[in-house]
Amino acid sequence: MKISTKGQYSLKAMVDLALNSENNLQTISQIAERTQISETYLEQLLPKLRNAGLVESIRGAQGGYRLAKPLDQITAGEILRAGEGDLIPVECAATSADLTCPNEETCVTKYVWKRITESINEAVDGITLADLKELHK
């Protein structure tokens, strides 16, 4: 499984907000400058993070972005899923009822994909923004 730039940059932007938005709203240009992510790309990512309930946006001249929840209540898994979608190694590991496999009853490899998916999600859901901020010190 490979995490795309959407996931990587979503996580990078959220870590930047964790480090810099404690008392102040952060503009897209400020985040872009610190993270070296283009403003255009951030304009695509930040609404996804907002829709996932991870950031808040305030419009206007004094507006910007800030975290929507405390650092210890936001996991890397939430952030990656907001940017990427489901974190699955293969499509047939998806949990959606719409993605049933015609070979599901006889497929033995689904066990492998299910275990990999569970391990990935357990790992990223066990890391919070508070953990990542602490590592930055």
Side-chain angles (χ1 to χ4, degrees), residues 15-107:
V15 169
D16 181 76
L17 284 172
L19 296 170
N20 296 292
S21 72
E22 217 165 287
N23 297 315
N24 300 313
L25 294 169
Q26 299 298 303
T27 65
I28 287 179
S29 60
Q30 289 170 318
I31 299 167
E33 184 178 327
R34 288 188 300 261
T35 62
Q36 300 301 300
I37 301 171
S38 77
E39 289 185 35
T40 304
Y41 207 78
L42 285 169
E43 287 170 352
Q44 296 170 31
L45 294 178
L46 288 168
K48 290 181 178 192
L49 295 168
R50 186 186 67 237
N51 290 339
L54 302 175
V55 298
E56 296 175 335
S57 62
I58 308 297
R59 293 181 178 258
Q62 302 300 314
Y65 289 87
R66 65 179 171 218
L67 298 176
K69 302 189 279 187
L71 297 177
D72 62 350
Q73 293 180 20
I74 300 174
T75 68
E78 291 176 291
I79 297 164
L80 291 171
R81 283 187 286 278
E84 290 282 329
D86 286 336
L87 302 175
I88 55 174
V90 293
E91 262 322 296
C92 65
T95 57
S96 171
D98 299 339
L99 299 173
T100 57
C101 175
N103 301 321
E104 186 172 359
E105 295 300 318
T106 59
C107 179

Side-chain angles (χ1 to χ4, degrees), residues 90 92-93 101 103-117:
V90 293
C92 65
C101 175
N103 301 321
E104 186 172 359
E105 295 300 318
T106 59
C107 179
V108 294
T109 60
K110 69 180 177 185
Y111 175 76
V112 174
W113 309 134
K114 184 177 183 224
R115 291 282 307 271
I116 291 170
T117 301

